[in-house]
Amino acid sequence: HPFWLLTVPNEGRTPEATFERLRRFSEENGKAYLVQIPSLTVGTLDSLMALSEDMEKIDNAIEIAVRKIERQYVDICSSVKSGTRMEALLIDGVPVERYLPSFVWEHAKYPHRRALPELVQSLRGTVGAMEEELKQLATTYADKNQKVSSFARGGGGSKGKGLTASALSTLPLEEFLPPDAAVKAEAKETDYLTTIAIIVPKSLEETFLGSYQKIGHDLVETADGTKCSPAVPGTLKKLYAEGDAVIFVLTILKGRQMIGKYNEDDVWQPGAFVDFVSLYTAAAKHHGVFVLPFNYDADFVAKMEKERQELSTEVERLHATILRWCKAHFAEAFVAWMHLKVIRAFVESVLRYGLPVDFLLAILIPNKNRDSYLQKSLDAMFAHLKSQFLGGPADESLDTPAGSSKDAVDYHPYVLQKATAVSI
């Protein structure tokens, strides 16, 4: 959506007559709309020249703020589920392409009798405050979103997504085992029995199912001298599969208190406690599977889930807030930018054409792919202004005069600003 702001001297004509001539010259390549310039305060030549030196920088700064609002709007719309239609950004309830032809100076908001430097600083301050507010909103939203993502990765069964069995074995159960799977465990904890979690690589699942009772097969010795594993037959239960791993629970014997005896000095020595859990864990590792104590804090998981839901609600609220903010403040920032451009056109035109103020301001909307043709038609229409205002013959090239700091491509015998209304 490109648009141009053009000022040309009336040269003894009425603004309406000058505009009608401009409209006829440009109608094949674009549309022209007359803008009523308010009676802005000229001030001194020195103040105009000083202001002119800053205008491009301020113009660029305000445009950057407008683009930031646009990008934030696109980002916030893209963050919702796919299929959601992104509405056009509006100004006073209409799209930008309809606002531009109907632009009028807002006297109540920007009193035209104020000194121009004050008006410019007011515009700059207004948009600068918006930019800072947007920065704070975007930062808060990004932080909250990151926390929601952390919750999703870190609780209720999803932190383990994509991890190997070995990697899962280093995490607390609460971080990868969903609550509904934990409930199925029906964990037992008695004086003699305990429930353990076993993390098995999927590639070893079938092997494990056929061998889990053989792991640590010589750890337990019965009264008749038979040796066996501490695994309790029939207690293995599959809880959950995650990525490359399968999580089982198994009830095993805790251990055995050995019988004490007297030593050589006739001193009683209590029997040692044989920890079957640690021995079974070590034996299981040799088989490529990993054992964890079945310690699952369901209250902690419930608390974390509540916090996650509250945070998600807050993120949704922030999402809606930023969406409304972008819609409202895009309009305000764009209107401020347009007023700044009108001031810039006024300042540069006074410096170019002199006093008294007698020039026309128009908005041009080039037709699609007709920008260069519109430019050529303007150059031809106003070629005579070169000898009048640039000090050169009208039939010479319209390149930048020697010593000028302007870019030759963008320098013309009339005052022209080119801009893009909407970049999304």
Side-chain angles (χ1 to χ4, degrees):
H1 302 283
F3 70 98
W4 301 355
L5 271 75
L6 170 75
T7 59
V8 291
N10 286 313
E11 300 179 283
R13 304 182 187 89
T14 64
E16 290 74 18
T18 303
F19 175 73
E20 181 59 25
R21 183 166 173 264
L22 170 65
R23 188 191 64 77
R24 289 199 307 270
F25 255 81
S26 59
E27 62 185 354
E28 290 185 6
N29 302 305
K31 294 180 174 61
Y33 303 94
L34 181 63
V35 178
Q36 298 296 331
I37 305 176
S39 302
L40 297 172
T41 302
V42 175
T44 66
L45 179 61
D46 287 343
S47 68
L48 284 182
M49 292 182 68
L51 187 58
S52 176
E53 291 176 358
D54 293 336
M55 289 300 288
E56 183 177 3
K57 180 174 65 176
I58 297 172
D59 190 339
N60 290 340
I62 292 180
E63 181 180 6
I64 287 171
V66 171
R67 302 306 174 212
K68 284 181 179 179
I69 297 173
E70 283 181 345
R71 286 196 299 272
Q72 184 63 60
Y73 179 71
V74 171
D75 291 345
I76 208 75
C77 288
S78 301
S79 67
V80 299
K81 61 184 180 180
S82 59
T84 301
R85 181 175 173 270
M86 184 174 67
E87 299 176 355
L89 289 165
L90 306 178
I91 302 174
D92 294 333
V94 298
V96 175
E97 57 267 25
R98 286 178 55 192
Y99 164 78
L100 288 171
S102 60
F103 171 81
V104 292
W105 186 276
E106 296 187 12
H107 294 273
K109 198 166 190 178
Y110 306 109
H112 66 282
R113 300 311 300 170
R114 289 177 66 183
L116 291 181
E118 291 181 19
L119 269 177
V120 170
Q121 289 306 316
S122 174
L123 289 163
R124 186 179 189 179
T126 297
V127 177
M130 291 183 214
E131 194 172 8
E132 182 60 30
E133 187 177 354
L134 176 61
K135 180 181 177 182
Q136 293 177 3
L137 280 171
T139 299
T140 301
Y141 181 74
D143 289 345
K144 300 288 185 185
N145 241 335
Q146 187 174 14
K147 288 180 180 178
V148 169
S149 298
S150 297
F151 269 113
R153 292 192 303 268
S158 48
K159 186 169 183 178
K161 289 187 182 302
L163 296 183
T164 63
S166 176
L168 286 179
S169 69
T170 65
L171 301 175
L173 286 173
E174 292 90 350
E175 295 193 358
F176 61 88
L177 188 64
D180 55 346
V183 170
K184 293 192 302 183
E186 299 178 344
K188 293 179 176 62
E189 190 66 33
T190 69
D191 290 341
Y192 303 104
L193 299 174
T194 189
T195 298
I196 57 174
I198 306 177
I199 304 173
V200 181
K202 276 190 176 177
S203 59
L204 298 179
E205 182 178 3
E206 290 187 15
T207 302
F208 172 74
L209 289 173
S211 64
Y212 77 93
Q213 292 187 80
K214 299 176 184 177
I215 296 174
H217 64 278
D218 58 350
L219 296 179
V220 181
E221 186 175 351
T222 63
D224 63 0
T226 304
K227 293 184 177 181
C228 63
S229 168
V232 178
T235 62
L236 184 71
K237 185 179 296 184
K238 181 177 178 179
L239 294 186
Y240 188 64
E242 176 58 73
D244 179 50
V246 183
I247 296 93
F248 292 88
V249 287
L250 175 67
T251 300
I252 68 171
L253 297 172
K254 281 185 174 180
R256 178 182 178 185
Q257 184 68 49
M258 303 300 291
I259 299 173
K261 63 180 179 179
Y262 288 97
N263 63 15
E264 296 176 353
D265 298 326
D266 206 27
V267 176
W268 177 256
Q269 297 291 322
F273 180 78
V274 180
D275 184 359
F276 293 154
V277 176
S278 61
L279 293 172
Y280 189 89
T281 299
K285 195 169 184 179
H286 286 296
H287 287 75
V289 300
F290 306 90
V291 173
L292 292 176
F294 192 83
N295 297 325
Y296 193 87
D297 190 343
D299 292 338
F300 171 78
V301 173
K303 178 184 176 183
M304 296 295 286
E305 176 61 18
K306 182 181 178 182
E307 290 183 17
R308 186 195 66 78
Q309 290 178 357
E310 290 174 351
L311 197 57
S312 295
T313 300
E314 190 174 353
V315 166
E316 290 175 5
R317 180 188 60 79
L318 269 173
H319 180 279
T321 297
I322 296 177
L323 196 63
R324 290 192 300 270
W325 190 97
C326 288
K327 289 179 178 180
H329 288 77
F330 170 80
E332 189 175 351
F334 193 91
V335 168
W337 187 36
M338 282 299 299
H339 282 71
L340 187 282
K341 283 195 162 295
V342 170
I343 294 174
R344 182 180 178 184
F346 179 85
V347 170
E348 294 183 4
S349 298
V350 170
L351 293 174
R352 174 74 66 88
Y353 307 132
L355 293 173
V357 173
D358 187 25
F359 49 81
L360 167 146
L361 172 61
I363 290 177
L364 301 178
I365 311 292
N367 292 337
K368 187 175 182 180
N369 299 325
R370 302 294 294 181
D371 304 52
S372 61
Y373 295 98
L374 179 59
Q375 185 75 77
K376 289 176 181 177
S377 67
L378 292 176
D379 288 344
M381 179 179 179
F382 299 110
H384 65 283
L385 295 180
K386 184 178 181 184
S387 60
Q388 186 174 353
F389 296 108
L390 301 182
D395 59 351
E396 287 184 2
S397 166
L398 292 177
D399 285 351
T400 307
S404 172
S405 61
K406 295 282 189 178
D407 188 328
V409 175
D410 295 325
Y411 197 81
H412 307 281
Y414 42 82
V415 176
L416 182 67
Q417 299 176 61
K418 294 182 179 182
T420 301
V422 181
S423 63
I424 57 176

